[in-house]
Amino acid sequence: MKFETTPAFDKDVGRLRREHLQEFLEVLKTKFIPACDAYAADPATPWPQSLRVKSVQGTPGVLEMTWSFASPDGRATFEFVTVNDELRLRWRRVGDHAVFKRP
């Protein structure tokens, strides 16, 4: 599956502390990307419980995941889009719980 980012996500990444960015990237590599590949093959495949993937309230089509429970908590929002008949994941925001103000 291909991934793309929004300008808001890119700004958020630039504001993450180095250790939080490293943790986010590790979770992507070990858990999230394999789960996305499984989702692309079969959308009925459940997400790993440790990522707590669920819909963002009041924002249809946008999902959230929790990548850290430590202080600060690590959250990210994303959505699935289709580009040229290809399913992609678009990252919208990343950071702490504040990302839900504008998911």
Side-chain angles (χ1 to χ4, degrees):
M1 177 177 295
K2 291 186 180 180
F3 298 86
E4 57 186 56
T5 62
T6 62
F9 179 87
D10 296 337
K11 286 181 186 178
D12 291 343
V13 167
R15 289 192 287 259
L16 287 177
R17 292 176 48 189
R18 185 175 188 200
E19 59 270 18
H20 296 147
L21 178 58
Q22 289 173 335
E23 185 176 356
F24 176 63
L25 294 174
E26 182 65 21
V27 168
L28 289 183
K29 185 172 93 176
T30 61
K31 295 180 183 177
F32 192 79
I33 292 172
C36 282
D37 291 339
Y39 177 87
D42 179 5
T45 302
W47 291 94
Q49 288 184 341
S50 62
L51 295 176
R52 295 185 59 199
V53 173
K54 58 186 178 179
S55 296
V56 174
Q57 289 184 343
T59 312
V62 176
L63 302 165
E64 65 171 280
M65 77 143 181
T66 302
W67 50 271
S68 174
F69 292 100
S71 180
D73 62 340
R75 311 293 177 112
T77 62
F78 62 95
E79 63 189 326
F80 289 101
V81 296
T82 303
V83 177
N84 298 325
D85 296 325
E86 179 182 55
L87 184 65
R88 293 185 185 184
L89 184 135
R90 178 182 297 145
W91 289 107
R92 296 173 56 97
R93 301 296 309 269
V94 65
D96 60 17
H97 200 266
V99 301
F100 298 125
K101 291 179 183 174
R102 300 186 110 184

